[in-house]
Amino acid sequence: MSFGGLHVLEAIDFSVAANEIVGLIGPNGAGKSTCFNVVTSIYRPDRGEVRLHGQRISGLRPERICRLGIARTFQLVRTFQRMTALQNVLVGAVYGRPEASSGGRSDAVRVAHEAIERVGLGAQGARLAAHMTLSDRRLLELARALATQPAVLLLDEPMAGLNAAEIGQMTGTIRRIRDELRICVLWVEHRVDAIMKLCDRVVVLDHGEKIADATPAEVVTNPRVIEAYLGETPARDQRA
């Protein structure tokens, strides 16, 4: 993926399996959010392809990608501020599911209630999104994504701006979603400690290229990752 003469992603190749949490990390400008935008078809890649269950989905419209089973959250929270929490989640249940064209309203309401309860916001269903805390709006966005009943969930920095207690709540919610729904999660996050604790595998980008794809234990000892992410080589770190 390029913008003019700037190559933002180059030869990125990785997969996410069912019931797996994969972290996607790298320095600012590494191409993480652009990667999400390519997967969800907000951007069309210049070359290559994106596949879901073995079928090519590159070039399809974003709403079609969602209905096929890929849902996402955003780095900057995008809830509908003048709608209640439940109405926000209903947007996903009505318009994002494959069954949306044939399912009735009662079914959509049921799915929305299940999603909002799953993230711990059941008691706030009637609350306007504008009156919710940042932490709760991040959980609300997660519930809206879950209401589309995805096979793949993309999380773009869901812990940004949260305090330690809220980070703990979000971490527990992500783990519970994977364990209970058995969906696969691709997770961009700058909180590397959370990524290393929760993820089965970590993909590392640097200047638009993949420099590692391994278990958390292997990634934290990879010299290229240390140099790219921490700005120094292991040798320099030892001398310090």
Side-chain angles (χ1 to χ4, degrees):
M1 184 75 215
S2 300
F3 299 104
L6 178 63
H7 296 284
V8 182
L9 296 175
E10 184 66 36
I12 302 296
D13 182 14
F14 66 90
S15 62
V16 184
N19 201 36
E20 185 179 36
I21 301 179
V22 176
L24 184 62
I25 68 172
N28 288 329
K32 304 182 296 296
S33 291
T34 299
C35 184
F36 268 26
N37 287 336
V38 168
V39 172
T40 55
S41 212
I42 293 175
Y43 299 153
R44 289 194 178 191
D46 303 319
R47 299 185 305 279
E49 60 188 24
V50 180
R51 289 181 173 268
L52 177 64
H53 304 313
Q55 300 298 313
R56 178 173 178 165
I57 61 173
S58 309
L60 298 178
R61 292 180 60 85
E63 64 270 23
R64 177 64 176 154
I65 298 292
C66 181
R67 289 175 184 144
L68 285 173
I70 300 179
R72 69 171 294 180
T73 66
F74 293 86
Q75 183 177 350
L76 298 177
V77 181
R78 297 186 181 182
T79 51
F80 300 106
Q81 298 293 80
R82 296 184 180 181
M83 295 169 63
T84 66
L86 182 59
Q87 287 170 339
N88 267 269
V89 182
L90 270 169
V91 170
V94 172
Y95 297 106
R97 293 185 299 148
E99 302 88 354
S101 60
S102 57
R105 174 179 170 79
S106 61
D107 186 53
V109 171
R110 175 189 60 79
V111 169
H113 275 291
E114 289 177 356
I116 202 169
E117 290 283 352
R118 195 175 298 278
V119 303
L121 295 179
Q124 298 197 53
R127 191 181 184 93
L128 288 177
H131 297 162
M132 300 175 75
T133 65
L134 173 62
S135 174
D136 285 344
R137 282 188 287 119
R138 287 201 177 280
L139 289 169
L140 178 59
E141 192 175 51
L142 178 55
R144 187 176 60 197
L146 290 177
T148 70
Q149 299 181 321
V152 185
L153 179 62
L154 276 56
L155 304 177
D156 196 349
E157 296 194 41
M159 298 181 182
L162 306 188
N163 61 35
E166 293 165 343
I167 287 172
Q169 180 185 16
M170 182 64 75
T171 300
T173 301
I174 294 171
R175 180 187 290 112
R176 188 170 63 253
I177 286 169
R178 189 276 299 271
D179 293 345
E180 294 179 357
L181 299 181
R182 303 188 67 79
I183 62 179
C184 55
V185 178
L186 181 61
W187 176 12
V188 167
E189 186 58 63
H190 279 296
R191 295 295 305 242
V192 180
D193 54 339
I195 287 284
M196 296 304 173
K197 180 179 179 181
L198 197 57
C199 290
D200 302 298
R201 194 159 44 85
V202 179
V203 175
V204 187
L205 303 185
D206 184 37
H207 292 96
E209 297 184 0
K210 185 181 79 171
I211 61 172
D213 183 349
T215 65
E218 293 169 324
V219 164
V220 296
T221 59
N222 185 311
R224 289 194 67 190
V225 174
I226 294 171
E227 184 173 8
Y229 209 74
L230 302 181
E232 54 187 7
T233 64
R236 290 173 186 163
D237 184 62
Q238 290 169 4
R239 287 197 300 270

